[in-house]
Amino acid sequence: MDQTGAKKKTRVLSGVQPSGEAHLGNYLGAFRQWVHMQDEYECFFTIVDQHAIVGESDPAELPRLTFDMAVSLLAVGLDPERCTIFVQSDVIEHMELAWLFNAVAPIGDLERMTQYKDKAARLESVPAGVLNYPVLQAADILIYRAGAVPVGEDQRQHLELTREIARRWNAKYGELFPEPEAIIPEVGRIIGLDGNAKMSKSLGNTIGILDEPDRIWERVRTAVTDPQRIRRDDPGRPEVCNVFTLHQLVTDAGLIPDIEQQCRTAGRGCVDCKRILADSIADAFQPFRERAAHYRANPGEVRDILERGADHARSIAAGTLAEARRRMGIDWRSAIP
Ligand code: AMP
Ligand code: TRP
């Protein structure tokens, strides 16, 4: 309860890398929940440019990608009056807390992260930032002492590590950080248009949530369906077809039984089935395209939202960091009577 007697809302933090415009996997796996959580929780959403630099990011592109992600977040319905949206690098306190966490984060755990192993396997020389990435992620979350973190399935392991870092730090320096809960939607991993791998910008298998209808169709047309359905008359198997999975996620529920039936009986070919999917996506995201057009035409509004968001975030982050420093003895003035 606060002074007015109102029940205090649980604080939430989540983040997204500035990969340009968001895709369907981001939306179904994360942003849709974020939008729904804005009223019940005290929400912080951050665009993590400091995380992006340890990937393959291009300095010439990063500013625009960061701006475009802000537009995507506003377009899907995050409302700056009801949540705090900011760019990670504007709240430099995250970086220092990440360093303080390096004092307790176990290397063995970091080396066990799937995302680290995948990236390291592809690189000849692995930058330390790839290993330390989840330590910064823990700082992003714990600096707000967030109680809940809505993320996609792929982030479960990083959240476990965040909890481990909180436990170890608290055990050594005294209780300060809550162990945050991961809130993971039932949809699980959204599979890309290749029908095989996680939908991800770096794999080129995405549908952008701000794509125009023509572009959505161009993309959906390339989607891999049931590999055993070769000829138009072959019956399909919706249970193995990613197009059907996507239908279940975005197409009007009343149409699903017909789509399933027509697939099984080869009543409808894959191209027509994809056409329906492309239309569902284009219709569902129409309001997003409209809001995005508004913000692109008014970039100063986006800047003001991000700056206000950073000011608010910093006011909380600074308090947590000061306490963490003090407990760790980064406080030489206290030696002077
Ligand atoms: P990223 O683009 O990797 O920063 O991801 C931002 C958010 O979207 C995170 O919560 C991810 O877990 C989620 N996400 C990204 N791709 C997918 C996907 N293919 N399926 C489900 N969730 C996803
Ligand atoms: N690692 C997350 C991803 O790739 C992004 C992220 C960074 C994040 N910091 C976070 C997510 C804090 C949740 C909370 O998707």
Side-chain angles (χ1 to χ4, degrees):
M1 300 274 176
D2 65 16
Q3 287 143 337
T4 63
K7 196 162 170 277
K8 238 180 150 208
K9 291 177 177 178
T10 300
R11 193 176 283 160
V12 153
L13 178 126
S14 198
V16 56
Q17 295 207 41
S19 48
E21 280 171 16
H23 57 71
L24 196 60
N26 294 137
Y27 180 68
L28 298 172
F31 301 170
R32 188 165 59 169
Q33 308 200 76
W34 298 5
V35 172
H36 288 142
M37 291 173 93
Q38 292 182 97
D39 291 319
E40 255 182 82
Y41 297 84
E42 182 194 358
C43 291
F44 290 76
F45 300 114
T46 182
I47 303 169
V48 295
D49 54 349
Q50 300 268 24
H51 274 111
I53 58 165
V54 301
E56 291 102 64
S57 88
D58 175 353
E61 287 287 305
L62 192 54
R64 190 187 54 78
L65 296 180
T66 304
F67 175 84
D68 285 349
M69 185 52 78
V71 169
S72 289
L73 294 181
L74 293 164
V76 298
L78 290 188
D79 173 0
E81 301 298 321
R82 288 144 71 217
C83 70
T84 300
I85 308 172
F86 67 101
V87 178
Q88 183 190 35
S89 62
D90 278 345
V91 186
I92 201 66
E93 284 79 359
H94 293 214
M95 299 310 123
E96 184 171 342
L97 187 62
W99 179 253
L100 300 184
F101 282 166
N102 272 318
V104 295
I107 288 199
D109 287 5
L110 295 173
E111 283 172 340
R112 234 172 287 126
M113 295 294 116
T114 319
Q115 201 166 307
Y116 163 71
K117 287 194 282 188
D118 288 351
K119 282 193 191 153
R122 282 190 268 123
L123 295 166
E124 219 173 286
S125 155
V126 185
V130 176
L131 183 65
N132 284 320
Y133 179 109
V135 181
L136 177 55
Q137 182 164 349
D140 296 338
I141 297 165
L142 297 175
I143 205 160
Y144 301 100
R145 307 173 77 204
V149 185
V151 280
E153 176 67 40
D154 60 331
Q155 295 299 312
R156 191 186 288 279
Q157 223 188 6
H158 286 166
L159 258 292
E160 271 309 311
L161 184 62
T162 299
R163 295 161 63 89
E164 179 63 20
I165 289 174
R167 274 194 292 274
R168 287 187 180 233
W169 196 96
N170 290 342
K172 202 160 171 192
Y173 304 105
E175 205 61 37
L176 177 60
F177 299 109
E179 288 181 35
E181 297 290 335
I183 302 186
I184 297 175
E186 274 173 28
V187 297
R189 285 184 343 147
I190 306 301
I191 300 301
L193 295 174
D194 53 4
N196 186 26
K198 169 183 132 175
M199 188 176 283
S200 164
K201 188 92 176 222
S202 60
L203 298 175
N205 61 2
T206 59
I207 305 169
I209 57 169
L210 300 180
D211 284 347
E212 291 298 327
D214 286 356
R215 173 74 186 152
I216 294 174
W217 170 235
E218 240 175 65
R219 299 292 299 146
V220 170
R221 199 157 59 151
T222 67
V224 172
T225 53
D226 176 359
Q228 283 183 20
R229 192 173 181 195
I230 296 159
R231 283 177 305 263
R232 168 67 183 78
D233 298 340
D234 293 338
R237 297 170 301 165
E239 62 279 6
V240 302
C241 179
N242 191 40
V243 168
F244 185 68
T245 304
L246 294 175
H247 266 302
Q248 289 176 300
L249 294 168
V250 296
T251 300
D252 187 278
L255 299 177
I256 299 298
D258 174 67
I259 289 169
E260 179 169 4
Q261 162 80 1
Q262 295 291 328
C263 173
R264 283 194 202 287
T265 58
R268 183 185 288 125
C270 290
V271 176
D272 291 333
C273 182
K274 288 177 186 179
R275 186 50 101 173
I276 299 172
L277 178 63
D279 289 346
S280 307
I281 297 171
D283 288 352
F285 294 168
Q286 164 73 15
F288 300 178
R289 292 194 294 281
E290 283 169 15
R291 274 195 290 266
H294 167 83
Y295 286 111
R296 286 198 191 106
N298 298 278
E301 248 181 67
V302 179
R303 183 195 52 221
D304 292 349
I305 289 166
L306 295 177
E307 287 183 348
R308 253 187 290 129
D311 287 345
H312 177 58
R314 204 177 301 117
S315 70
I316 295 163
T320 314
L321 179 63
E323 182 59 19
R325 289 177 125 219
R326 197 184 62 75
R327 300 243 198 127
M328 293 180 85
I330 309 286
D331 186 22
W332 64 268
R333 286 179 186 81
S334 68
I336 298 170

